[in-house]
Amino acid sequence: MPPTLHTARLLLDPYTPDDEEGFVALFQDVRVSRWMGDGPSSEADVRALFGRIFSKVYARDLFDVWAVRRDGRLVGHAEIKRTDAVDGHEIVYALTPKAWGSGLGTELAEALLAYGFGTLGLAGVHATVAAENEASLRLLGRIGFEHVRDIEEGDGSLTRVLTARRRRPGAGSGPR
């Protein structure tokens, strides 16, 4: 089970079975799911994915995945996991459209980045973002992610690979 994380306005904690309807609603919203994985999935597939969080991810401690809550309500999803696509740890996050535009995405991505660098001790944290997802690309750029390469998908679309590197204390400050 992942540890509980807190930001100024968000709580990241393990999913509970009571979160299923909110999870399905989040992943069935095409404004969100168009940017996730292979795009929108059937309700049955989303419910199966939710079940695998408990039966596989949590049961086998495969990687950290959280329900994202604000004021006690499920408003998003977050995870950090090792993936071959980036040969390292990748952050994945989504928020309900009602939460967009309020800075919560930045707050959530910064929390995942801090967890990756701090708790997991990673030197680099990655994100993969559809080239058309300009809002996410801007958000990640603001918090220190840099574009490192593109992946051409089977349908011809591009996915941007972005990486943030942990800064060593004193790095970048030369003699005074």
Side-chain angles (χ1 to χ4, degrees):
M1 288 287 212
T4 298
L5 306 178
H6 299 269
T7 71
R9 298 176 289 170
L10 298 172
L11 170 69
L12 285 69
D13 65 355
Y15 280 101
T16 69
D18 291 341
D19 292 319
E20 184 171 1
E21 295 310 316
F23 181 91
V24 170
L26 176 69
F27 281 84
Q28 285 283 277
D29 190 316
V30 295
R31 295 169 293 177
V32 175
S33 63
R34 69 183 284 215
W35 306 119
M36 303 296 290
D38 294 325
S41 298
S42 70
E43 181 178 337
D45 286 346
V46 174
R47 289 187 188 281
L49 175 63
F50 185 76
R52 285 193 301 275
I53 290 172
F54 297 94
S55 68
K56 290 189 176 172
V57 177
Y58 290 162
R60 299 180 191 162
D61 197 24
L62 296 178
F63 57 90
D64 294 314
V65 59
W66 295 272
V68 179
R69 304 179 200 286
R70 181 168 188 205
D71 300 326
R73 291 189 326 275
L74 183 71
V75 297
H77 170 86
E79 54 190 71
I80 187 167
K81 62 185 176 185
R82 176 143 179 63
T83 60
D84 291 337
V86 296
D87 192 27
H89 282 74
E90 176 182 6
I91 62 170
V92 176
Y93 59 93
L95 289 170
T96 63
K98 289 179 185 176
W100 293 358
S102 62
L104 291 175
T106 300
E107 199 170 307
L108 178 54
E110 286 176 332
L112 294 172
L113 193 57
Y115 180 77
F117 289 151
T119 303
L120 299 181
L122 303 173
V125 174
H126 309 279
T128 55
V129 181
E132 300 83 37
N133 190 346
E134 295 175 10
S136 283
L137 292 170
R138 278 192 310 272
L139 182 159
L140 292 168
R142 282 194 309 268
I143 66 168
F145 280 82
E146 296 178 352
H147 175 246
V148 293
R149 66 183 169 95
D150 291 331
I151 299 170
E152 186 171 346
E153 302 295 345
D155 63 3
S157 66
L158 289 180
T159 296
R160 305 257 186 253
V161 177
L162 303 134
T163 301
R165 299 263 174 230
R166 181 173 43 193
R167 301 201 188 335
R168 292 184 320 271
S173 58
R176 296 181 181 212

